[in-house]
Amino acid sequence: MQQNHLSTNPDTAKTDSIAVLDSLPSFNNPSGVAIDASGDIFVADYGNNLIRKIAPGGIVTTLAGSGNAGYIDGTGILASFTQPTGLTIDPSGNLFVADAGDNLIREITPAGAVTTIAGSDTTGSVNAVGKASSFFDPLGVAVDAHDNVYVADAGNNLIRLIAQGGQVSTFAGTLNTGASTNLSPFNNPSGVAVDGTGNVFVANYLNSTIMKVSPAGVVSTYAGVDTLKGANNGPAATATFYFPNSVAVDAADNVYVSDGVNNLIRKITPDGTVSTLAGNGLPGAVDSTGTKASFNYPAGLAVDAAGNVYVADSNNNLIRKITPAGVVSTVAGSGLQGAKNGTAVARRNRKLLVKKASKAQFNIFYKPGKR
């Protein structure tokens, strides 16, 4: 492992042996976001194998990760990840990472110390304590008020639970073996979120639905029509999504959905009404209001105490913010693929238009060969 950057704020672009701040920080397919009570934004920088931090003043730094793929526990740049995807944070400021490429769940303290709390770096579905357990491509994580961590275990089509002490169990779903005819209600679940009463919401990616799991483990369809793809708003039972990949819940129990292929951020109110919070459906990076704004394969979501929604705008390599009124702005990122740290410069009326992709990109949330 290269150790040529000794500062706690390394220039991850590695353009010099001395860590310096770069202007216009960059990301590489950011896939997850979380925000703490102080307004610090954390980013699972999938393509760079890093966990990044955006301070309220706009300074982007690397919290943890060497940039080299691997599963080394350590502090700051001495640790390593492989395609970190999902991210969540507890009230004490500890981050939990779905380290998808390593099949691990990692924890990062506010000081940047990384440990593995569950998983064994081999694919499997073993329920056990800590490193004796196993996952298959875990993509999303969420933590509840009791510090239980929920995992969208995509390759196993399960929702797993990691209790305090590291005991892993299956919270919902059915493990489908070759002889099984009882199919799981989940099909590549990629995102999870928990509300204040312990209900778990799931982005059921390949079925294009949003599922709800009660605290007792009862699974129901919360919104969407099973396997029917679209962008229809309205009552939850008739609304449609197109490969939703991430979910978040605010204090009023509104559920936000990152509707990836539709390039939209959707909102589901507690009465089950689905609407479009932001996005016009076309790939782009326009900062504006509501349906005048645009995204390019939005991924991870987080909501702050004021109801602002933060988006890992994956194919744009940007971190975006949406106010409760639907005003979209760019928080950080140059739009270029990279791993530079530095100051996020505010740009007014920013209209970086991204060329429309010829086909949907599933590099983060779907890998060929899964059911």
Side-chain angles (χ1 to χ4, degrees), residues 5 9-16 19-29 43 45 47-54 58-63 67 317-319 331-345:
H5 298 278
N9 180 29
D11 169 9
T12 49
K14 299 182 180 179
T15 56
D16 199 319
V20 294
L21 290 177
D22 301 303
S23 62
L24 290 180
S26 54
F27 302 89
N28 187 353
N29 284 126
V43 180
D45 198 357
N48 285 323
N49 301 311
L50 299 173
I51 306 301
R52 316 283 291 282
K53 177 181 177 180
I54 309 168
I59 297 291
V60 179
T61 58
T62 297
L63 176 67
N317 301 307
L318 300 174
I319 306 303
V331 175
S334 65
L336 300 176
Q337 197 173 80
K340 290 184 177 181
N341 288 321
T343 304
V345 179

Side-chain angles (χ1 to χ4, degrees), residues 13 15 18 36 67 86 117 158 174 184 191 196 237 246 251 258 271-272 279 294 309 321:
T15 56
I18 300 174
D36 68 14
I117 64 168
L158 299 174
T174 303
S184 176
S246 300
S258 198
D271 68 359
S294 59
V309 179
K321 174 184 175 181

Side-chain angles (χ1 to χ4, degrees), residues 102-329:
D102 289 323
N103 298 300
L104 302 175
I105 306 303
R106 319 286 291 280
E107 181 176 357
I108 310 174
T109 68
V114 180
T115 57
T116 298
I117 64 168
S120 56
D121 190 42
T122 58
T123 59
S125 58
V126 176
N127 287 326
V129 176
K131 295 181 181 180
S133 63
S134 58
F135 300 86
F136 182 6
D137 201 25
L139 294 180
V141 283
V143 63
D144 69 12
H146 305 290
D147 292 330
N148 297 302
V149 178
Y150 298 85
V151 181
D153 193 4
N156 284 321
N157 297 311
L158 299 174
I159 305 303
R160 313 285 291 281
L161 172 65
I162 309 172
Q164 292 189 55
Q167 176 64 55
V168 178
S169 61
T170 297
F171 179 64
T174 303
L175 183 66
N176 303 137
T177 64
S180 175
T181 58
N182 184 20
L183 295 179
S184 176
F186 305 107
N187 192 355
N188 206 90
S190 57
V192 283
V194 188
D195 70 12
T197 57
N199 296 298
V200 177
F201 297 89
V202 181
N204 199 19
Y205 185 78
L206 289 184
N207 282 353
S208 293
T209 54
I210 306 303
M211 309 296 285
K212 177 182 177 180
V213 189
S214 74
V218 178
V219 181
S220 60
T221 300
Y222 190 65
V225 181
D226 192 26
T227 72
L228 181 62
K229 302 172 182 64
N232 292 335
N233 290 320
T238 57
T240 52
F241 302 86
Y242 197 162
F243 292 159
N245 59 61
S246 300
V247 285
V249 185
D250 68 14
D253 291 335
N254 297 296
V255 177
Y256 300 90
V257 180
S258 198
D259 198 1
V261 176
N262 281 328
N263 299 304
L264 301 174
I265 305 301
R266 315 284 291 280
K267 179 180 179 180
I268 310 171
T269 58
D271 68 359
T273 301
V274 178
S275 61
T276 296
L277 176 65
N280 62 20
L282 299 175
V286 177
D287 284 337
S288 190
T289 300
T291 56
K292 295 180 180 179
S294 59
F295 302 87
N296 193 353
Y297 203 76
L301 299 175
V303 187
D304 68 15
N308 298 298
V309 179
Y310 296 83
V311 184
D313 194 1
S314 187
N315 284 352
N316 279 330
N317 301 307
L318 300 174
I319 306 303
R320 317 285 291 281
K321 174 184 175 181
I322 312 171
T323 69
V327 178
V328 179
S329 59

